[in-house]
Amino acid sequence: MTTTPDGRPVPPAHAGERAMLEAWLDFHRGTLAVKCAGLNDDQARQAAVAPSSMTLLGLVQHMAEVERNWFQRVFAGQNVPTVFGGTVTGSFALQPDRGLDEAMAVWQAEVTRGRELIAGASLDDPGRLSEREAAYVGDREVSLRWIMVHMIEEYARHNGHADLLRERIDGVTGY
């Protein structure tokens, strides 16, 4: 397996649809981890520019909530509380007593749980959206394929934010 210089596995150039989706999702999950690697709590709490309050710590918290929402609530139909309390959109909010190590551990647990829930499922298996989510999508059900593509998009968008945040913190850039 080929890896990037920072150790992330490069998705295969040729693979079946499921393997390709899983590989790209894992690549983007790994990218968020790399963007947070080696930072202390103060650094992880630094916002890039005013008026934005977005931080790497907030992004990790948010992605833990996104993982839970799409794999546990939508796909598996589980009635689980929010990860850190509050709302999905409020998951960016920082708490004085929550540091990067704790948030990373919670996020990794949510990733693991998501992998468990979709293992062996067909890409055509449905998940059920809330009324609010369905209003955006135009249907109450979405396939696991749709969820995985959406998760890749969600990570890719936020990894762009993470790249800018990390560069602002200590000048580290990467791909």
Side-chain angles (χ1 to χ4, degrees):
M1 172 187 321
T2 306
T3 60
T4 61
D6 54 29
R8 292 171 294 152
V10 175
H14 305 279
E17 182 181 18
R18 176 69 179 251
M20 189 68 73
L21 290 171
E22 288 176 347
W24 276 105
L25 183 52
D26 284 342
F27 176 82
H28 283 293
R29 287 168 171 156
T31 299
L32 182 58
V34 164
K35 294 299 170 185
C36 296
L39 296 178
N40 63 41
D41 287 346
D42 289 337
Q43 291 171 313
R45 291 173 173 276
Q46 289 181 23
V49 296
S52 175
S53 61
M54 187 179 290
T55 66
L56 283 170
L57 177 55
L59 281 174
V60 171
Q61 292 175 171
H62 176 67
M63 291 313 298
E65 188 59 58
V66 168
E67 290 273 352
R68 178 173 284 192
N69 184 61
W70 287 101
F71 293 118
Q72 293 181 51
R73 289 189 196 103
V74 173
F75 184 70
Q78 298 176 349
N79 184 14
V80 292
T82 56
V83 179
F84 295 109
T87 65
V88 174
T89 54
S91 58
F92 286 101
L94 304 183
Q95 300 298 317
D97 60 339
R98 185 180 311 118
L100 184 59
D101 289 344
E102 177 188 351
M104 292 293 288
V106 170
W107 170 64
Q108 287 294 341
E110 293 300 323
V111 168
T112 298
R113 183 68 180 131
R115 284 184 181 126
E116 291 168 358
L117 289 170
I118 67 170
S122 166
L123 290 175
D124 294 322
D125 286 349
R128 189 152 174 82
L129 298 172
S130 69
E131 279 188 44
R132 187 175 135 270
E133 292 165 328
Y136 292 115
V137 176
D139 198 323
R140 279 299 294 235
E141 290 188 347
V142 291
S143 67
L144 176 57
R145 176 184 295 103
W146 190 99
I147 292 168
M148 292 181 76
V149 169
H150 173 68
M151 290 296 293
I152 292 165
E153 176 274 329
E154 182 88 11
Y155 271 102
R157 181 166 31 99
H158 287 313
N159 282 338
H161 300 134
D163 195 40
L164 294 171
L165 285 160
R166 183 62 190 251
E167 185 174 6
R168 172 83 168 128
I169 292 165
D170 62 6
V172 172
T173 61
Y175 50 94

